[in-house]
Amino acid sequence: MQTKYRILLPLISLAVLLAATFWMQPRTMSYFGVNLLFNLAVPIALATIAQMMIIMVNDIDLGMGAFVSLVACVVATFLQDTPVLGTIMLIGLILSYAAMGALIHRLELPAIVVTLGMSFVWGGLALFILPSPGGASPGWLRALMTSKPPLMPMAVVAAILFSIVTHLLIMRSGIGTVLRGVGGNTRAVQRAGWSVIWLKALAYGLAGLFAVLAGMALVGLTTSADANIALRYTLLSIAGVILGGGEFIGGKVSPTGAVIGALTLTLASSFLNFMRLNPDWQIGAQGAILILVLTARLLFAKREART
Amino acid sequence: MKNSMQIFTRPWIWSWLAAGLVFTMTLLLTKGQGAGGLAYAALSFGSFAAIVGLGQMLVMTLGPGNVDLSIPATMTLAATLGLKVMNSEPGNAMLGLGVALLAGLLTGGMNVLLIFLLRLPPIIATLAASLVYQSVAIWSNRGLRIKPPETLADFATGRLIGVPNVAWVALILSIIIWIVLERSLWGRWLLASGQNLRAARLAGVPVQSVRAVTYIVVAILASVAGYLLASFSGGAALNMGSEYLLMSIAVVVIGGTSVAGGFSNVPGIWGASLFMFLVVSMLNSYGAGAGLRMVLTGTIIIFIVIAASSRRGRL
């Protein structure tokens, strides 16, 4: 029952927002319109999934935006010019994320601080690679991100694909259940004979993998990169996870919800554009929508909150 | 001997040692020249980090999950409104301060409403609310850069007995917070709530009021920092607070305050604030580029956290 509620509310908020957008701007109700609305949601959805992997094991990643920016810089330079070296670097970045998870667990460090410190490192490396905005998107990536699949726009196909894959991985598979168990009760998982350090490394590694995919998708859309391109993803991804029904502790996350949360956040800014709101209030209205959706969650989660 | 060893078990010592080491290393390069100037600059710029760090420290003392992400927005909003009401006219400094403090009180109150009435997790509540504060600041500012009144600007950039005035303000605030934490009932309540919320509640501590007051205090401290920073740097800018989000969390943790909550550490905040400025100026004077500077800053932060936590493990 509870899992059902968790996914119900994000779905409703997205549906309401989408209906409002269609009502205000009927022309968006087309293949092309929907693609425009959700195009930029693809990298945000991937970053949100990455953040969810970290929140799943009771940690929080304040360096996500800087990391995605770094990936974008690597993709726009090395992956474009020397694909082999670029691929090796991206794999190295994923492994370093896994190592960070292992380190955080082994030395019992606060994740909020380590990821914060690492955000400086990622940001510095990104500046090193790309001191000024530039680079170019590899052709195949550009082609993939601008492809026009039949029936549904690319962004929608991607969103459905991500949520199915991560749902199977996190909610249905054995290892996914154990990973959520780390967030729920680390000691119980340890007593059951699992190596928590490997599980944490796996969770962080998965986060790194999805963050790398986010950076690639971003470059595919923007065709160039700079060191600050995705800094706002840190807060967006956290908001997306929570909007999607996830919770900060207890391994209570929902991959599908996270994807929907990311879509809702992206749609909110388009919606505000259509409202012809004074630009001064755009950001504020986004905050207000966030608060509104989270308040609605209260009505659903009242029973849970009491316990 | 025992006493001299005991000092190394103090959580704040590491940030001071790090600050001292970085200070010395900078002076090694300049062969001792500019020591006074460097210390003066560190005290000036460190004060703003210290003031917001103190607020963040109080919030983080409440326990895991408690952090205020709206500090930068509150700083910007308070500074913008304060400077606007002063309108560069002399004699309005107190009025401006009042308005800035009021802005802090309002944002703090709003955060409390969201956290308690709507039961949102503090991270997400302050994050969402900060977007609203930012909007209000943008709307009221409209890109204008209003200069602070001359007397106020002189005060903010001036010095007393060789120490910057802003550092005196920060120091006085620190001492007040230290005394409140160590000696007052409210301070004890705060620490107790952070150590074990359930136990504190059962012991009759008004946990909710303690948390509410803490979230208001952090906003007020942020508004003071914003007001001073705008007076110091000749006007409010919309991005003036942005670097203080990470800064406020970093100084708390480097300063030795437990992230798990329940233990505050005021002296550590100062060591960490000075360190954060000094490390950047050291890397600058060694000629490190922007990229390398950030990488090293991040690495050093992580190493200090590791050093501080392995010491805790041995105890």
Side-chain angles (χ1 to χ4, degrees):
Chain A
M1 266 317 253
Q2 282 184 352
T3 332
K4 260 188 198 159
Y5 276 142
R6 189 160 289 145
I7 194 64
L8 208 55
L9 184 66
L11 260 180
I12 293 174
S13 7
L14 180 64
V16 169
L17 207 52
L18 196 60
T21 313
F22 284 164
W23 179 70
M24 238 185 300
Q25 198 59 262
R27 263 181 266 173
T28 55
M29 214 182 338
S30 62
Y31 183 98
F32 186 69
V34 172
N35 197 34
L36 269 184
L37 282 180
F38 289 115
N39 226 343
L40 278 174
V42 175
I44 297 178
L46 285 164
T48 308
I49 293 173
Q51 184 70 260
M52 186 200 71
M53 299 290 175
I54 311 270
I55 291 181
M56 180 175 66
V57 292
N58 283 359
D59 289 343
I60 192 163
D61 186 350
L62 292 186
M64 182 62 70
F67 185 74
V68 175
S69 306
L70 171 60
V71 171
C73 289
V74 172
V75 171
T77 53
F78 288 99
L79 196 66
Q80 154 77 0
D81 304 332
T82 49
V84 178
L85 182 63
T87 313
I88 293 174
M89 284 174 79
L90 290 180
I91 292 172
L93 283 177
I94 296 174
L95 289 179
S96 59
Y97 238 69
M100 182 170 82
L103 185 79
I104 286 172
H105 178 74
R106 179 73 188 75
L107 298 177
E108 293 176 35
L109 301 173
I112 193 168
V113 190
V114 177
T115 54
L116 187 66
M118 286 310 285
S119 79
F120 286 91
V121 176
W122 309 133
L125 289 174
L127 267 183
F128 220 62
I129 294 174
L130 214 57
S132 58
S137 163
W140 58 271
L141 201 54
R142 178 79 190 141
L144 183 69
M145 289 309 291
T146 52
S147 62
K148 291 192 171 57
L151 298 176
M152 277 181 289
M154 200 282 303
V156 178
V157 174
I160 294 174
L161 187 73
F162 299 154
S163 55
I164 292 176
V165 169
T166 46
H167 183 81
L168 291 177
L169 180 69
I170 298 300
M171 306 306 280
R172 287 302 168 93
S173 79
I175 190 72
T177 310
V178 176
L179 279 173
R180 282 183 292 133
V182 173
N185 190 336
T186 313
R187 193 165 289 173
V189 171
Q190 198 161 19
R191 292 273 162 80
W194 291 87
S195 156
V196 176
I197 191 166
W198 281 106
L199 288 172
K200 276 238 174 171
L202 179 62
Y204 273 79
L206 282 171
L209 173 67
F210 279 100
V212 164
L213 293 177
M216 291 171 70
L218 185 58
V219 175
L221 285 172
T222 60
T223 66
S224 69
D226 73 88
N228 301 321
I229 191 167
L231 285 191
R232 65 202 185 94
Y233 279 22
T234 304
L235 297 183
L236 272 180
S237 63
I238 298 173
V241 173
I242 304 304
L243 214 50
E247 281 170 42
F248 281 117
I249 46 170
K252 295 177 186 164
V253 292
S254 157
T256 318
V259 173
I260 295 176
L263 294 182
T264 312
L265 281 173
T266 324
L267 190 57
S269 56
S270 308
F271 173 73
L272 293 169
N273 269 328
F274 291 137
M275 269 180 67
R276 308 250 168 112
L277 199 68
N278 185 341
D280 294 354
W281 292 103
Q282 290 261 350
I283 316 172
Q286 229 168 337
I289 289 183
L290 198 57
I291 294 172
L292 211 67
V293 175
L294 292 169
T295 311
R297 189 163 97 160
L298 256 190
L299 305 172
F300 281 79
K302 241 181 186 160
R303 188 171 290 171
E304 256 181 287
R306 228 172 267 165
T307 52
Chain B
M1 190 63 204
K2 191 167 173 246
N3 269 342
S4 65
M5 284 310 289
Q6 216 165 24
I7 197 164
F8 285 101
T9 65
R10 302 279 175 180
W12 51 264
I13 192 72
W14 296 99
S15 64
W16 280 96
L17 281 178
L21 181 72
V22 172
F23 187 69
T24 322
M25 279 176 69
T26 315
L27 290 188
L28 279 180
L29 185 81
T30 62
K31 307 219 166 46
Q33 280 185 344
L38 184 62
Y40 187 82
L43 273 174
S44 298
F45 287 96
S47 310
F48 307 115
I51 296 175
V52 291
L54 284 171
Q56 194 70 278
M57 174 193 76
L58 293 177
V59 171
M60 288 176 82
T61 303
L62 284 170
N66 283 296
V67 63
D68 187 349
L69 299 185
S70 68
I71 284 181
T74 301
M75 285 173 74
T76 312
L77 181 62
T80 311
L81 294 180
L83 288 189
K84 199 174 182 194
V85 79
M86 286 190 284
N87 204 13
S88 307
E89 280 167 33
N92 272 353
M94 279 300 140
L95 176 69
L97 180 62
V99 168
L101 289 178
L102 194 67
L105 191 68
L106 284 177
T107 59
M110 170 100 172
N111 287 343
V112 168
L113 270 180
L114 291 177
I115 295 169
F116 293 98
L117 233 55
L118 301 185
R119 298 225 200 97
L120 300 182
I123 295 182
I124 206 79
T126 52
L127 161 63
S130 78
L131 298 177
V132 178
Y133 309 152
Q134 223 176 318
S135 255
V136 179
I138 295 174
W139 169 73
S140 69
N141 186 339
R142 301 211 152 265
L144 291 177
R145 200 171 164 90
I146 304 170
K147 280 204 169 115
E150 214 162 298
T151 42
L152 181 62
D154 287 346
F155 169 79
T157 50
R159 61 175 84 190
L160 182 72
I161 334 175
V163 175
N165 286 335
V166 283
W168 283 114
V169 175
L171 205 60
I172 291 167
L173 287 172
S174 317
I175 291 171
I176 294 173
I177 287 175
W178 199 2
I179 292 173
V180 167
L181 269 176
E182 299 287 323
R183 291 277 173 263
S184 80
L185 183 60
W186 185 79
R188 300 275 108 184
W189 278 349
L190 172 64
L191 296 178
S193 313
Q195 279 161 21
N196 192 331
L197 198 66
R198 214 178 136 80
R201 188 186 294 132
L202 293 174
V205 175
V207 183
Q208 299 296 49
S209 336
V210 169
R211 292 182 63 193
V213 171
T214 310
Y215 275 98
I216 290 177
V217 170
V218 62
I220 289 179
L221 284 169
S223 66
V224 173
Y227 174 78
L228 283 177
L229 183 59
S231 314
F232 180 82
S233 54
L238 286 174
N239 61 349
M240 59 182 275
S242 54
E243 71 173 295
Y244 287 93
L245 176 60
L246 298 189
M247 181 74 90
S248 67
I249 300 176
V251 296
V252 171
V253 176
I254 296 174
T257 294
S258 162
V259 182
F263 297 93
S264 281
N265 197 312
V266 176
I269 296 285
W270 272 94
S273 303
L274 297 178
F275 166 75
M276 287 297 284
F277 174 81
L278 287 169
V279 78
V280 173
S281 65
M282 174 188 82
L283 295 172
N284 261 336
S285 53
Y286 275 83
L292 185 63
R293 210 162 59 213
M294 280 177 79
V295 171
L296 287 176
T297 312
T299 316
I300 293 169
I301 290 177
I302 291 173
F303 270 104
I304 293 180
V305 172
I306 291 176
S309 75
S310 55
R311 169 194 50 81
R312 269 200 291 278
R314 276 201 297 276
L315 284 179

